[in-house]
Amino acid sequence: MKLLEGKVAIITGGAKGMGEFHTKKMVEEGAKVVIGDLDVENGEKLAKELGKEQAIFVKLDVTQPDSWANIVQVTKDTFGTIDILVNNAGLAGAITGLLDIEEGLYKKIIEINQDGTFYGMRAVLPTMVEKNSGSIINISSLAGLRHDITVNPAYTASKFAIRGLTKQAAYEFADKNIRVNAVLPGAILTPMAEATLTKEQIDDVSNTLLPMKRFADPKEVSELVVFLASDKASYISGGDYVIDGARATINK
Ligand SMILES: NC(=O)c1ccc[n+]([C@@H]2O[C@H](COP(=O)([O-])OP(=O)(O)OC[C@H]3O[C@@H](n4cnc5c(N)ncnc54)[C@H](O)[C@@H]3O)[C@@H](O)[C@H]2O)c1
């Protein structure tokens, strides 16, 4: 039997980057997936590729509670329920210091990464409480565990906050059989990273910052996300799951 047979998932930011890999892996494992993203073109293309029995696209702005109410309703109308939420949509922004970051960008990053995760959990939890089961995976970052030289203060603050919200929800809903975990990826070679970094830059970061001397393939993160979403992880809740090829063992 496939790991997620019969389960229904909402994946935010599921249209591209790591979210696209999570979407494909969940479908491969038997889940029906609702791709929630602002990116209509890529979201519709991916849903079409996977087939409407397995995946649909719903335009979602994670910063808007009304938009969340809509995706929850469409998911229930189409697939009947919600078993899994992956809060993956995120914005990194340019690398800056505390004094340099533009206030508007600071607020936008907090709104998408932190508030979006909060609104997402609030939107799906009543359905999960009603059915007495569910799994929520909130995508934080290695930058949510310790200072990271490759990001900005808003990203750091939001990714730490996601871990806090995860623990709050895990505790509050543990007796409702709802599990909530945070995943903290290190350097992942998403198509976006490949498009923005030259081959030389990728090699340089790999050799100087990464103990395994390579970025992760996004599929390696999907394996962890799918496991946490599945019933195999039945006693795993409230945790921080670092997936960084041992990068956090060194102070770089
Ligand atoms: N790439 C990495 O190395 C890395 C490392 C650690 C953590 N992460 C985290 O993993 C997640 C995915 O990262 P990625 O590299 O695939 O990013 P990405 O930029 O490739 O994809 C992000 C997706 O989120 C969507 N999105 C942005 N704002 C949205 C909004 N308001 N509402 C709905 N959707 C929105 C985008 O359209 C896009 O499809 C993010 O939370 C990121 O912070 C990434």
Side-chain angles (χ1 to χ4, degrees), residues 12-19 36-39 60-63 87-92 112-113 139-142 155 159 184-190 192-193:
T12 74
K16 61 172 186 270
M18 260 192 279
D37 205 304
L38 275 180
D39 184 341
L60 169 73
D61 182 345
V62 296
T63 68
N87 273 315
N88 163 80
L91 179 68
I112 295 173
N113 299 0
I139 307 296
S140 172
S141 166
L142 190 54
Y155 191 79
K159 294 297 183 179
L184 284 61
I188 317 297
L189 201 54
T190 56
M192 194 183 71

PDB file of all heavy atoms in Angstrom, residues 12-19 36-39 60-63 87-92 112-113 139-142 155 159 184-190 192-193, ligand 1:
ATOM      1  N   THR A  12       0.920  24.491   0.077  1.00  0.00           N
ATOM      2  CA  THR A  12       1.042  25.891  -0.342  1.00  0.00           C
ATOM      3  C   THR A  12       2.385  26.082  -1.054  1.00  0.00           C
ATOM      4  O   THR A  12       3.363  25.394  -0.755  1.00  0.00           O
ATOM      5  CB  THR A  12       0.931  26.872   0.843  1.00  0.00           C
ATOM      6  OG1 THR A  12       2.139  26.823   1.616  1.00  0.00           O
ATOM      7  CG2 THR A  12      -0.269  26.562   1.718  1.00  0.00           C
ATOM      8  N   GLY A  13       2.391  26.995  -2.008  1.00  0.00           N
ATOM      9  CA  GLY A  13       3.601  27.165  -2.808  1.00  0.00           C
ATOM     10  C   GLY A  13       3.909  25.878  -3.566  1.00  0.00           C
ATOM     11  O   GLY A  13       5.062  25.591  -3.877  1.00  0.00           O
ATOM     12  N   GLY A  14       2.851  25.123  -3.860  1.00  0.00           N
ATOM     13  CA  GLY A  14       3.021  23.802  -4.469  1.00  0.00           C
ATOM     14  C   GLY A  14       3.223  23.838  -5.971  1.00  0.00           C
ATOM     15  O   GLY A  14       3.382  22.793  -6.597  1.00  0.00           O
ATOM     16  N   ALA A  15       3.222  25.028  -6.558  1.00  0.00           N
ATOM     17  CA  ALA A  15       3.293  25.125  -8.025  1.00  0.00           C
ATOM     18  C   ALA A  15       4.707  25.024  -8.566  1.00  0.00           C
ATOM     19  O   ALA A  15       4.917  24.629  -9.702  1.00  0.00           O
ATOM     20  CB  ALA A  15       2.668  26.449  -8.483  1.00  0.00           C
ATOM     21  N   LYS A  16       5.689  25.421  -7.743  1.00  0.00           N
ATOM     22  CA  LYS A  16       7.070  25.341  -8.244  1.00  0.00           C
ATOM     23  C   LYS A  16       8.062  25.197  -7.086  1.00  0.00           C
ATOM     24  O   LYS A  16       7.657  25.150  -5.927  1.00  0.00           O
ATOM     25  CB  LYS A  16       7.402  26.540  -9.126  1.00  0.00           C
ATOM     26  CG  LYS A  16       7.334  27.893  -8.474  1.00  0.00           C
ATOM     27  CD  LYS A  16       7.897  28.937  -9.450  1.00  0.00           C
ATOM     28  CE  LYS A  16       7.982  30.301  -8.808  1.00  0.00           C
ATOM     29  NZ  LYS A  16       6.782  31.105  -8.969  1.00  0.00           N
ATOM     30  N   GLY A  17       9.327  25.118  -7.421  1.00  0.00           N
ATOM     31  CA  GLY A  17      10.358  24.970  -6.392  1.00  0.00           C
ATOM     32  C   GLY A  17      10.154  23.669  -5.619  1.00  0.00           C
ATOM     33  O   GLY A  17       9.660  22.683  -6.165  1.00  0.00           O
ATOM     34  N   MET A  18      10.491  23.706  -4.331  1.00  0.00           N
ATOM     35  CA  MET A  18      10.363  22.485  -3.528  1.00  0.00           C
ATOM     36  C   MET A  18       8.931  21.990  -3.442  1.00  0.00           C
ATOM     37  O   MET A  18       8.670  20.799  -3.395  1.00  0.00           O
ATOM     38  CB  MET A  18      10.897  22.743  -2.119  1.00  0.00           C
ATOM     39  CG  MET A  18      12.290  22.225  -1.934  1.00  0.00           C
ATOM     40  SD  MET A  18      12.752  22.236  -0.216  1.00  0.00           S
ATOM     41  CE  MET A  18      13.217  23.931  -0.002  1.00  0.00           C
ATOM     42  N   GLY A  19       7.980  22.953  -3.414  1.00  0.00           N
ATOM     43  CA  GLY A  19       6.565  22.583  -3.317  1.00  0.00           C
ATOM     44  C   GLY A  19       6.127  21.688  -4.467  1.00  0.00           C
ATOM     45  O   GLY A  19       5.315  20.778  -4.287  1.00  0.00           O
ATOM     46  N   GLY A  36      -1.944  25.025  -3.731  1.00  0.00           N
ATOM     47  CA  GLY A  36      -2.365  26.396  -3.420  1.00  0.00           C
ATOM     48  C   GLY A  36      -1.200  27.329  -3.661  1.00  0.00           C
ATOM     49  O   GLY A  36      -0.156  27.211  -3.016  1.00  0.00           O
ATOM     50  N   ASP A  37      -1.360  28.232  -4.595  1.00  0.00           N
ATOM     51  CA  ASP A  37      -0.228  29.100  -4.944  1.00  0.00           C
ATOM     52  C   ASP A  37      -0.743  30.365  -5.600  1.00  0.00           C
ATOM     53  O   ASP A  37      -1.856  30.385  -6.145  1.00  0.00           O
ATOM     54  CB  ASP A  37       0.717  28.336  -5.907  1.00  0.00           C
ATOM     55  CG  ASP A  37       2.149  28.846  -5.872  1.00  0.00           C
ATOM     56  OD1 ASP A  37       2.356  30.051  -6.100  1.00  0.00           O
ATOM     57  OD2 ASP A  37       3.057  28.051  -5.615  1.00  0.00           O
ATOM     58  N   LEU A  38       0.055  31.411  -5.586  1.00  0.00           N
ATOM     59  CA  LEU A  38      -0.265  32.638  -6.329  1.00  0.00           C
ATOM     60  C   LEU A  38       0.058  32.477  -7.803  1.00  0.00           C
ATOM     61  O   LEU A  38      -0.467  33.200  -8.643  1.00  0.00           O
ATOM     62  CB  LEU A  38       0.589  33.799  -5.780  1.00  0.00           C
ATOM     63  CG  LEU A  38       0.090  34.570  -4.572  1.00  0.00           C
ATOM     64  CD1 LEU A  38       1.115  35.656  -4.219  1.00  0.00           C
ATOM     65  CD2 LEU A  38      -1.269  35.192  -4.841  1.00  0.00           C
ATOM     66  N   ASP A  39       0.939  31.532  -8.100  1.00  0.00           N
ATOM     67  CA  ASP A  39       1.423  31.332  -9.466  1.00  0.00           C
ATOM     68  C   ASP A  39       0.435  30.457 -10.248  1.00  0.00           C
ATOM     69  O   ASP A  39       0.525  29.221 -10.248  1.00  0.00           O
ATOM     70  CB  ASP A  39       2.809  30.672  -9.405  1.00  0.00           C
ATOM     71  CG  ASP A  39       3.437  30.507 -10.777  1.00  0.00           C
ATOM     72  OD1 ASP A  39       2.710  30.545 -11.786  1.00  0.00           O
ATOM     73  OD2 ASP A  39       4.664  30.319 -10.828  1.00  0.00           O
ATOM     74  N   LEU A  60      -4.217  30.730  -4.314  1.00  0.00           N
ATOM     75  CA  LEU A  60      -4.194  31.018  -2.872  1.00  0.00           C
ATOM     76  C   LEU A  60      -3.168  32.102  -2.589  1.00  0.00           C
ATOM     77  O   LEU A  60      -2.030  32.027  -3.064  1.00  0.00           O
ATOM     78  CB  LEU A  60      -3.799  29.742  -2.098  1.00  0.00           C
ATOM     79  CG  LEU A  60      -3.466  29.922  -0.612  1.00  0.00           C
ATOM     80  CD1 LEU A  60      -4.741  30.183   0.208  1.00  0.00           C
ATOM     81  CD2 LEU A  60      -2.746  28.687  -0.057  1.00  0.00           C
ATOM     82  N   ASP A  61      -3.588  33.098  -1.796  1.00  0.00           N
ATOM     83  CA  ASP A  61      -2.628  34.036  -1.217  1.00  0.00           C
ATOM     84  C   ASP A  61      -2.598  33.721   0.275  1.00  0.00           C
ATOM     85  O   ASP A  61      -3.573  33.994   0.987  1.00  0.00           O
ATOM     86  CB  ASP A  61      -3.068  35.486  -1.467  1.00  0.00           C
ATOM     87  CG  ASP A  61      -2.050  36.477  -0.908  1.00  0.00           C
ATOM     88  OD1 ASP A  61      -1.177  36.063  -0.101  1.00  0.00           O
ATOM     89  OD2 ASP A  61      -2.136  37.665  -1.254  1.00  0.00           O
ATOM     90  N   VAL A  62      -1.493  33.140   0.741  1.00  0.00           N
ATOM     91  CA  VAL A  62      -1.439  32.671   2.131  1.00  0.00           C
ATOM     92  C   VAL A  62      -1.573  33.799   3.157  1.00  0.00           C
ATOM     93  O   VAL A  62      -1.821  33.543   4.331  1.00  0.00           O
ATOM     94  CB  VAL A  62      -0.145  31.862   2.428  1.00  0.00           C
ATOM     95  CG1 VAL A  62      -0.094  30.590   1.612  1.00  0.00           C
ATOM     96  CG2 VAL A  62       1.115  32.707   2.242  1.00  0.00           C
ATOM     97  N   THR A  63      -1.434  35.046   2.708  1.00  0.00           N
ATOM     98  CA  THR A  63      -1.509  36.170   3.656  1.00  0.00           C
ATOM     99  C   THR A  63      -2.965  36.622   3.887  1.00  0.00           C
ATOM    100  O   THR A  63      -3.208  37.514   4.693  1.00  0.00           O
ATOM    101  CB  THR A  63      -0.696  37.387   3.161  1.00  0.00           C
ATOM    102  OG1 THR A  63      -1.338  37.934   1.989  1.00  0.00           O
ATOM    103  CG2 THR A  63       0.730  37.005   2.821  1.00  0.00           C
ATOM    104  N   ASN A  87       2.598  23.810   4.893  1.00  0.00           N
ATOM    105  CA  ASN A  87       2.796  25.258   4.791  1.00  0.00           C
ATOM    106  C   ASN A  87       4.198  25.489   4.248  1.00  0.00           C
ATOM    107  O   ASN A  87       5.170  25.582   5.000  1.00  0.00           O
ATOM    108  CB  ASN A  87       2.652  25.906   6.171  1.00  0.00           C
ATOM    109  CG  ASN A  87       1.214  26.248   6.505  1.00  0.00           C
ATOM    110  OD1 ASN A  87       0.476  26.787   5.683  1.00  0.00           O
ATOM    111  ND2 ASN A  87       0.804  25.940   7.732  1.00  0.00           N
ATOM    112  N   ASN A  88       4.282  25.523   2.912  1.00  0.00           N
ATOM    113  CA  ASN A  88       5.588  25.591   2.245  1.00  0.00           C
ATOM    114  C   ASN A  88       5.856  26.936   1.561  1.00  0.00           C
ATOM    115  O   ASN A  88       7.016  27.310   1.373  1.00  0.00           O
ATOM    116  CB  ASN A  88       5.650  24.442   1.209  1.00  0.00           C
ATOM    117  CG  ASN A  88       6.739  24.639   0.178  1.00  0.00           C
ATOM    118  OD1 ASN A  88       7.911  24.364   0.426  1.00  0.00           O
ATOM    119  ND2 ASN A  88       6.365  25.138  -1.004  1.00  0.00           N
ATOM    120  N   ALA A  89       4.792  27.679   1.203  1.00  0.00           N
ATOM    121  CA  ALA A  89       4.983  28.954   0.494  1.00  0.00           C
ATOM    122  C   ALA A  89       5.917  29.848   1.309  1.00  0.00           C
ATOM    123  O   ALA A  89       5.791  29.934   2.535  1.00  0.00           O
ATOM    124  CB  ALA A  89       3.642  29.646   0.275  1.00  0.00           C
ATOM    125  N   GLY A  90       6.831  30.497   0.631  1.00  0.00           N
ATOM    126  CA  GLY A  90       7.762  31.343   1.373  1.00  0.00           C
ATOM    127  C   GLY A  90       8.419  32.369   0.479  1.00  0.00           C
ATOM    128  O   GLY A  90       8.401  32.264  -0.749  1.00  0.00           O
ATOM    129  N   LEU A  91       8.968  33.381   1.137  1.00  0.00           N
ATOM    130  CA  LEU A  91       9.733  34.410   0.428  1.00  0.00           C
ATOM    131  C   LEU A  91      11.029  34.636   1.191  1.00  0.00           C
ATOM    132  O   LEU A  91      10.999  34.773   2.428  1.00  0.00           O
ATOM    133  CB  LEU A  91       8.913  35.718   0.370  1.00  0.00           C
ATOM    134  CG  LEU A  91       9.601  36.896  -0.312  1.00  0.00           C
ATOM    135  CD1 LEU A  91       9.775  36.638  -1.814  1.00  0.00           C
ATOM    136  CD2 LEU A  91       8.786  38.180  -0.110  1.00  0.00           C
ATOM    137  N   ALA A  92      12.142  34.655   0.468  1.00  0.00           N
ATOM    138  CA  ALA A  92      13.437  34.847   1.137  1.00  0.00           C
ATOM    139  C   ALA A  92      13.879  36.310   1.094  1.00  0.00           C
ATOM    140  O   ALA A  92      14.251  36.881   2.114  1.00  0.00           O
ATOM    141  CB  ALA A  92      14.481  33.947   0.491  1.00  0.00           C
ATOM    142  N   ILE A 112       4.141  36.620   4.620  1.00  0.00           N
ATOM    143  CA  ILE A 112       4.036  35.370   3.852  1.00  0.00           C
ATOM    144  C   ILE A 112       4.484  34.176   4.707  1.00  0.00           C
ATOM    145  O   ILE A 112       3.751  33.191   4.848  1.00  0.00           O
ATOM    146  CB  ILE A 112       4.859  35.451   2.550  1.00  0.00           C
ATOM    147  CG1 ILE A 112       4.264  36.529   1.629  1.00  0.00           C
ATOM    148  CG2 ILE A 112       4.905  34.098   1.841  1.00  0.00           C
ATOM    149  CD1 ILE A 112       5.083  36.834   0.387  1.00  0.00           C
ATOM    150  N   ASN A 113       5.670  34.268   5.277  1.00  0.00           N
ATOM    151  CA  ASN A 113       6.239  33.093   5.956  1.00  0.00           C
ATOM    152  C   ASN A 113       5.560  32.808   7.297  1.00  0.00           C
ATOM    153  O   ASN A 113       5.180  31.678   7.583  1.00  0.00           O
ATOM    154  CB  ASN A 113       7.737  33.295   6.200  1.00  0.00           C
ATOM    155  CG  ASN A 113       8.518  33.474   4.900  1.00  0.00           C
ATOM    156  OD1 ASN A 113       7.953  33.446   3.812  1.00  0.00           O
ATOM    157  ND2 ASN A 113       9.809  33.680   5.006  1.00  0.00           N
ATOM    158  N   ILE A 139       7.136  24.430   6.892  1.00  0.00           N
ATOM    159  CA  ILE A 139       8.507  24.496   6.382  1.00  0.00           C
ATOM    160  C   ILE A 139       9.208  25.729   6.968  1.00  0.00           C
ATOM    161  O   ILE A 139       8.921  26.874   6.600  1.00  0.00           O
ATOM    162  CB  ILE A 139       8.552  24.531   4.838  1.00  0.00           C
ATOM    163  CG1 ILE A 139       7.749  23.363   4.237  1.00  0.00           C
ATOM    164  CG2 ILE A 139      10.007  24.511   4.367  1.00  0.00           C
ATOM    165  CD1 ILE A 139       8.257  21.960   4.525  1.00  0.00           C
ATOM    166  N   SER A 140      10.118  25.452   7.900  1.00  0.00           N
ATOM    167  CA  SER A 140      10.973  26.498   8.465  1.00  0.00           C
ATOM    168  C   SER A 140      12.264  26.501   7.640  1.00  0.00           C
ATOM    169  O   SER A 140      12.215  26.439   6.411  1.00  0.00           O
ATOM    170  CB  SER A 140      11.206  26.206   9.960  1.00  0.00           C
ATOM    171  OG  SER A 140      12.153  27.077  10.496  1.00  0.00           O
ATOM    172  N   SER A 141      13.399  26.524   8.303  1.00  0.00           N
ATOM    173  CA  SER A 141      14.686  26.577   7.597  1.00  0.00           C
ATOM    174  C   SER A 141      15.790  26.384   8.626  1.00  0.00           C
ATOM    175  O   SER A 141      15.569  26.602   9.835  1.00  0.00           O
ATOM    176  CB  SER A 141      14.841  27.961   6.944  1.00  0.00           C
ATOM    177  OG  SER A 141      16.161  28.179   6.526  1.00  0.00           O
ATOM    178  N   LEU A 142      16.962  26.034   8.140  1.00  0.00           N
ATOM    179  CA  LEU A 142      18.114  26.022   9.042  1.00  0.00           C
ATOM    180  C   LEU A 142      18.291  27.417   9.651  1.00  0.00           C
ATOM    181  O   LEU A 142      18.729  27.567  10.788  1.00  0.00           O
ATOM    182  CB  LEU A 142      19.365  25.614   8.251  1.00  0.00           C
ATOM    183  CG  LEU A 142      20.613  25.310   9.067  1.00  0.00           C
ATOM    184  CD1 LEU A 142      20.352  24.272  10.131  1.00  0.00           C
ATOM    185  CD2 LEU A 142      21.746  24.871   8.150  1.00  0.00           C
ATOM    186  N   TYR A 155      13.684  37.026   7.279  1.00  0.00           N
ATOM    187  CA  TYR A 155      13.612  35.584   6.988  1.00  0.00           C
ATOM    188  C   TYR A 155      13.935  34.802   8.265  1.00  0.00           C
ATOM    189  O   TYR A 155      13.217  33.875   8.636  1.00  0.00           O
ATOM    190  CB  TYR A 155      14.598  35.246   5.871  1.00  0.00           C
ATOM    191  CG  TYR A 155      14.424  33.840   5.314  1.00  0.00           C
ATOM    192  CD1 TYR A 155      13.419  33.547   4.402  1.00  0.00           C
ATOM    193  CD2 TYR A 155      15.273  32.801   5.711  1.00  0.00           C
ATOM    194  CE1 TYR A 155      13.254  32.264   3.887  1.00  0.00           C
ATOM    195  CE2 TYR A 155      15.116  31.521   5.207  1.00  0.00           C
ATOM    196  CZ  TYR A 155      14.112  31.255   4.296  1.00  0.00           C
ATOM    197  OH  TYR A 155      13.950  29.975   3.795  1.00  0.00           O
ATOM    198  N   LYS A 159      11.284  32.385  10.224  1.00  0.00           N
ATOM    199  CA  LYS A 159      11.523  30.936  10.285  1.00  0.00           C
ATOM    200  C   LYS A 159      11.666  30.445  11.734  1.00  0.00           C
ATOM    201  O   LYS A 159      11.330  29.298  12.029  1.00  0.00           O
ATOM    202  CB  LYS A 159      12.737  30.563   9.421  1.00  0.00           C
ATOM    203  CG  LYS A 159      12.504  30.809   7.919  1.00  0.00           C
ATOM    204  CD  LYS A 159      11.378  29.929   7.357  1.00  0.00           C
ATOM    205  CE  LYS A 159      11.167  30.100   5.875  1.00  0.00           C
ATOM    206  NZ  LYS A 159      10.110  29.242   5.326  1.00  0.00           N
ATOM    207  N   LEU A 184      13.242  21.771   8.661  1.00  0.00           N
ATOM    208  CA  LEU A 184      14.245  22.846   8.560  1.00  0.00           C
ATOM    209  C   LEU A 184      15.283  22.493   7.487  1.00  0.00           C
ATOM    210  O   LEU A 184      16.324  21.900   7.794  1.00  0.00           O
ATOM    211  CB  LEU A 184      14.946  23.028   9.917  1.00  0.00           C
ATOM    212  CG  LEU A 184      14.220  23.752  11.057  1.00  0.00           C
ATOM    213  CD1 LEU A 184      12.937  23.055  11.483  1.00  0.00           C
ATOM    214  CD2 LEU A 184      15.136  23.893  12.258  1.00  0.00           C
ATOM    215  N   PRO A 185      15.007  22.834   6.234  1.00  0.00           N
ATOM    216  CA  PRO A 185      15.982  22.500   5.194  1.00  0.00           C
ATOM    217  C   PRO A 185      17.212  23.414   5.236  1.00  0.00           C
ATOM    218  O   PRO A 185      17.125  24.585   5.608  1.00  0.00           O
ATOM    219  CB  PRO A 185      15.205  22.728   3.880  1.00  0.00           C
ATOM    220  CG  PRO A 185      13.768  22.900   4.270  1.00  0.00           C
ATOM    221  CD  PRO A 185      13.787  23.452   5.665  1.00  0.00           C
ATOM    222  N   GLY A 186      18.335  22.836   4.815  1.00  0.00           N
ATOM    223  CA  GLY A 186      19.556  23.624   4.640  1.00  0.00           C
ATOM    224  C   GLY A 186      19.610  24.131   3.202  1.00  0.00           C
ATOM    225  O   GLY A 186      18.642  24.717   2.721  1.00  0.00           O
ATOM    226  N   ALA A 187      20.694  23.879   2.509  1.00  0.00           N
ATOM    227  CA  ALA A 187      20.836  24.366   1.122  1.00  0.00           C
ATOM    228  C   ALA A 187      20.238  23.349   0.157  1.00  0.00           C
ATOM    229  O   ALA A 187      20.722  22.220   0.069  1.00  0.00           O
ATOM    230  CB  ALA A 187      22.307  24.577   0.808  1.00  0.00           C
ATOM    231  N   ILE A 188      19.209  23.769  -0.540  1.00  0.00           N
ATOM    232  CA  ILE A 188      18.508  22.860  -1.442  1.00  0.00           C
ATOM    233  C   ILE A 188      18.627  23.394  -2.864  1.00  0.00           C
ATOM    234  O   ILE A 188      18.374  24.582  -3.115  1.00  0.00           O
ATOM    235  CB  ILE A 188      16.999  22.752  -1.068  1.00  0.00           C
ATOM    236  CG1 ILE A 188      16.807  22.627   0.454  1.00  0.00           C
ATOM    237  CG2 ILE A 188      16.352  21.595  -1.834  1.00  0.00           C
ATOM    238  CD1 ILE A 188      17.387  21.407   1.112  1.00  0.00           C
ATOM    239  N   LEU A 189      18.975  22.505  -3.781  1.00  0.00           N
ATOM    240  CA  LEU A 189      19.163  22.942  -5.164  1.00  0.00           C
ATOM    241  C   LEU A 189      17.829  22.937  -5.911  1.00  0.00           C
ATOM    242  O   LEU A 189      17.536  22.027  -6.672  1.00  0.00           O
ATOM    243  CB  LEU A 189      20.196  22.050  -5.863  1.00  0.00           C
ATOM    244  CG  LEU A 189      20.852  22.648  -7.100  1.00  0.00           C
ATOM    245  CD1 LEU A 189      21.472  24.004  -6.811  1.00  0.00           C
ATOM    246  CD2 LEU A 189      21.889  21.702  -7.656  1.00  0.00           C
ATOM    247  N   THR A 190      17.041  23.991  -5.651  1.00  0.00           N
ATOM    248  CA  THR A 190      15.768  24.135  -6.356  1.00  0.00           C
ATOM    249  C   THR A 190      16.059  24.694  -7.750  1.00  0.00           C
ATOM    250  O   THR A 190      17.125  25.284  -7.985  1.00  0.00           O
ATOM    251  CB  THR A 190      14.843  25.121  -5.604  1.00  0.00           C
ATOM    252  OG1 THR A 190      15.543  26.349  -5.475  1.00  0.00           O
ATOM    253  CG2 THR A 190      14.463  24.601  -4.240  1.00  0.00           C
ATOM    254  N   MET A 192      15.028  27.327  -8.881  1.00  0.00           N
ATOM    255  CA  MET A 192      15.305  28.756  -8.712  1.00  0.00           C
ATOM    256  C   MET A 192      16.783  28.985  -8.362  1.00  0.00           C
ATOM    257  O   MET A 192      17.436  29.869  -8.912  1.00  0.00           O
ATOM    258  CB  MET A 192      14.415  29.349  -7.630  1.00  0.00           C
ATOM    259  CG  MET A 192      14.401  30.866  -7.639  1.00  0.00           C
ATOM    260  SD  MET A 192      13.415  31.512  -6.296  1.00  0.00           S
ATOM    261  CE  MET A 192      14.444  31.120  -4.907  1.00  0.00           C
ATOM    262  N   ALA A 193      17.298  28.181  -7.443  1.00  0.00           N
ATOM    263  CA  ALA A 193      18.715  28.317  -7.062  1.00  0.00           C
ATOM    264  C   ALA A 193      19.604  28.054  -8.273  1.00  0.00           C
ATOM    265  O   ALA A 193      20.580  28.762  -8.516  1.00  0.00           O
ATOM    266  CB  ALA A 193      19.039  27.346  -5.929  1.00  0.00           C
TER     267      ALA A 193
HETATM  268  N1  LIG B   1      15.523  26.636  -1.350  1.00  0.00           N
HETATM  269  C1  LIG B   1      16.163  26.464  -0.209  1.00  0.00           C
HETATM  270  O1  LIG B   1      17.372  26.223  -0.187  1.00  0.00           O
HETATM  271  C2  LIG B   1      15.407  26.551   1.113  1.00  0.00           C
HETATM  272  C3  LIG B   1      16.099  26.314   2.312  1.00  0.00           C
HETATM  273  C4  LIG B   1      15.394  26.348   3.511  1.00  0.00           C
HETATM  274  C5  LIG B   1      14.036  26.601   3.518  1.00  0.00           C
HETATM  275  N2  LIG B   1      13.380  26.844   2.345  1.00  0.00           N
HETATM  276  C6  LIG B   1      11.936  27.094   2.407  1.00  0.00           C
HETATM  277  O2  LIG B   1      11.259  26.134   1.603  1.00  0.00           O
HETATM  278  C7  LIG B   1      10.064  26.717   1.054  1.00  0.00           C
HETATM  279  C8  LIG B   1      10.074  26.585  -0.458  1.00  0.00           C
HETATM  280  O3  LIG B   1      11.225  27.228  -0.959  1.00  0.00           O
HETATM  281  P1  LIG B   1      11.610  27.270  -2.519  1.00  0.00           P
HETATM  282  O4  LIG B   1      13.063  27.464  -2.599  1.00  0.00           O
HETATM  283  O5  LIG B   1      10.975  26.139  -3.209  1.00  0.00           O
HETATM  284  O6  LIG B   1      10.909  28.656  -2.945  1.00  0.00           O
HETATM  285  P2  LIG B   1      10.348  29.141  -4.366  1.00  0.00           P
HETATM  286  O7  LIG B   1      10.506  30.620  -4.374  1.00  0.00           O
HETATM  287  O8  LIG B   1      10.938  28.339  -5.489  1.00  0.00           O
HETATM  288  O9  LIG B   1       8.794  28.773  -4.277  1.00  0.00           O
HETATM  289  C9  LIG B   1       7.944  29.415  -3.355  1.00  0.00           C
HETATM  290  C10 LIG B   1       6.508  29.241  -3.833  1.00  0.00           C
HETATM  291  O10 LIG B   1       5.657  29.966  -2.933  1.00  0.00           O
HETATM  292  C11 LIG B   1       4.727  30.714  -3.706  1.00  0.00           C
HETATM  293  N3  LIG B   1       4.256  31.875  -2.947  1.00  0.00           N
HETATM  294  C12 LIG B   1       4.957  32.998  -2.612  1.00  0.00           C
HETATM  295  N4  LIG B   1       4.165  33.866  -1.957  1.00  0.00           N
HETATM  296  C13 LIG B   1       2.942  33.273  -1.852  1.00  0.00           C
HETATM  297  C14 LIG B   1       1.705  33.689  -1.280  1.00  0.00           C
HETATM  298  N5  LIG B   1       1.548  34.887  -0.673  1.00  0.00           N
HETATM  299  N6  LIG B   1       0.656  32.836  -1.353  1.00  0.00           N
HETATM  300  C15 LIG B   1       0.785  31.638  -1.973  1.00  0.00           C
HETATM  301  N7  LIG B   1       1.927  31.203  -2.550  1.00  0.00           N
HETATM  302  C16 LIG B   1       2.991  32.033  -2.492  1.00  0.00           C
HETATM  303  C17 LIG B   1       5.484  31.106  -4.974  1.00  0.00           C
HETATM  304  O11 LIG B   1       4.606  31.456  -6.038  1.00  0.00           O
HETATM  305  C18 LIG B   1       6.267  29.823  -5.243  1.00  0.00           C
HETATM  306  O12 LIG B   1       5.537  28.909  -6.035  1.00  0.00           O
HETATM  307  C19 LIG B   1      10.048  28.167   1.543  1.00  0.00           C
HETATM  308  O13 LIG B   1       9.261  28.264   2.705  1.00  0.00           O
HETATM  309  C20 LIG B   1      11.516  28.435   1.858  1.00  0.00           C
HETATM  310  O14 LIG B   1      11.657  29.464   2.789  1.00  0.00           O
HETATM  311  C21 LIG B   1      14.039  26.843   1.147  1.00  0.00           C
END
